[in-house]
Amino acid sequence: MKEKVTVTKLAEMKQKGDKITMLTAYDYLTAKLLDELGVNLILVGDSLGMVVLGYDTTLAVTMDDMLHHTKAVSKGVKSSMVIGDMPFMSYQVNADEALRNAGRFLQEAGAHAVKLEGGEEVADKVDKIVKAGIPVMGHLGLTPQSVHQMGGFKVQGKEDKQKKKLLKDAKILEDAGVFSIVLECIPKSLAADITRAVSIPTIGIGAGCECDGQVLVTQDLLGMYDKFVPKFVKQYAKLSNDIKRAVSDYISEVKKEKFPTKEHEFC
Ligand code: KIV
């Protein structure tokens, strides 16, 4: 059996320069595959809203949605670390509410850690959750739950003032106790500076190759979500084409009575 991924192992991986892999999953079968293939971190992202539930943003995703999908993912995982993404309004109101909701991910859904978005403004929530023994992953840069405040899904940290704030936020999150930080859609050089400035691993998405690890939404990597393909996505497959072909073949074979054949029948 493979060694379980823990926060200690992740810290060692950063020390050794061993790159960390993270992908999203929202269901049992995908999680089982990713786990068997040795993906270090499986994020049940609130990107669920966009790639599974068909919303335009992540804002409508609820705690109930997240717990439902995190439960399914946890059932498929043996070695990877499962991280539950705290949805919009599950941690912003106050630290007590944040802790109660973070606890539900571990107690009810089998997650090993939670992730939340933001810097200085969420430090008190991170502190409270970490002090209760729950590992927390931070998320800086393009934080999709603030899409309306950011004026769209845009690269962050291009100007000096923003750069300084993101660097400061990373250190604040580290001091508050996060075990890792996702850096989304920021310039490569800023991600490299943050990665050098903190002792915890950084996981990049659209943040260049100098982060300690990388994350992608699995449906993006597999070429299944073509509503919008961001610049930072590499499609390692075009599954949507394969699915279209397979389903068209099925329709045509059923219509022409070519399926089922003898091998699929019972006597
Ligand atoms: O929700 C999500 O999938 C995420 C990743 C893109 C980091 O937050």
Side-chain angles (χ1 to χ4, degrees):
M1 205 174 113
K2 270 185 259 144
E3 190 193 346
K4 279 196 190 302
V5 178
T6 61
V7 292
T8 323
K9 181 176 160 76
L10 295 169
E12 282 168 14
M13 287 176 81
K14 170 159 179 138
Q15 288 301 315
K16 289 186 195 155
D18 191 359
K19 294 281 183 185
I20 297 166
T21 54
M22 171 157 134
L23 284 174
T24 62
Y26 318 96
D27 66 282
Y28 165 79
L29 272 185
T30 309
K32 188 167 178 295
L33 277 171
L34 300 185
D35 178 72
E36 285 168 2
L37 289 164
V39 172
N40 300 127
L41 305 173
I42 299 184
L43 173 70
V44 189
D46 63 354
S47 48
L48 166 84
M50 297 164 86
V51 297
V52 177
L53 302 177
Y55 305 152
D56 288 333
T57 71
T58 59
L59 297 176
V61 176
T62 63
M63 271 301 292
D64 284 346
D65 293 331
M66 291 306 301
L67 293 176
H68 179 74
H69 287 270
T70 306
K71 267 185 215 169
V73 166
S74 299
K75 284 210 185 331
V77 171
K78 291 200 174 105
S79 318
S80 310
M81 179 187 282
V82 176
I83 303 169
D85 207 2
M86 297 194 69
F88 182 55
M89 293 314 285
S90 69
Y91 59 93
Q92 285 90 344
V93 176
N94 61 50
D96 287 342
E97 226 176 277
L99 173 58
R100 204 164 297 286
N101 283 321
R104 293 187 70 193
F105 274 98
L106 275 72
Q107 198 164 40
E108 297 174 36
H112 306 116
V114 296
K115 174 171 87 58
L116 48 81
E117 297 180 5
E120 191 167 9
E121 67 284 5
V122 295
D124 60 325
K125 286 91 178 177
V126 171
D127 179 68
K128 183 112 185 173
I129 301 171
V130 171
K131 282 192 175 135
I134 302 171
V136 180
M137 173 179 261
H139 186 157
L140 293 173
L142 197 179
T143 45
Q145 292 175 15
S146 309
V147 60
H148 297 310
Q149 197 173 45
M150 292 178 165
F153 296 103
K154 292 180 180 161
V155 178
Q156 302 294 308
K158 282 182 159 176
E159 290 121 38
D160 261 7
K161 198 172 154 205
Q162 265 194 336
K163 275 186 195 162
K164 282 189 188 129
K165 173 157 169 47
L166 285 171
L167 203 48
K168 186 173 161 218
D169 277 342
K171 289 188 183 149
I172 289 173
L173 286 180
E174 180 178 28
D175 290 344
V178 298
F179 69 92
S180 173
I181 306 175
V182 166
L183 298 176
E184 180 163 352
C185 276
I186 61 172
K188 178 185 166 177
S189 58
L190 174 59
D193 286 348
I194 294 176
T195 300
R196 278 190 293 269
V198 295
S199 61
I200 48 172
T202 59
I203 311 289
I205 174 161
C209 60
E210 291 185 48
C211 296
D212 299 305
Q214 296 294 325
V215 56
L216 281 178
V217 167
T218 299
Q219 278 75 356
D220 286 340
L221 171 155
L222 295 176
M224 290 176 76
Y225 186 78
D226 44 20
K227 209 164 162 186
F228 170 65
V229 183
K231 177 177 159 70
F232 57 77
V233 167
K234 178 167 177 184
Q235 294 185 326
Y236 287 81
K238 289 262 186 212
L239 278 202
S240 59
N241 290 347
D242 288 345
I243 293 170
K244 282 179 201 160
R245 185 197 40 74
V247 175
S248 304
D249 287 355
Y250 166 77
I251 294 171
S252 143
E253 290 199 357
V254 170
K255 300 262 186 218
K256 292 177 187 156
E257 294 182 23
K258 284 187 172 170
F259 174 83
T261 56
K262 261 197 168 35
E263 59 183 309
H264 312 109
E265 289 171 3
F266 299 101
C267 308

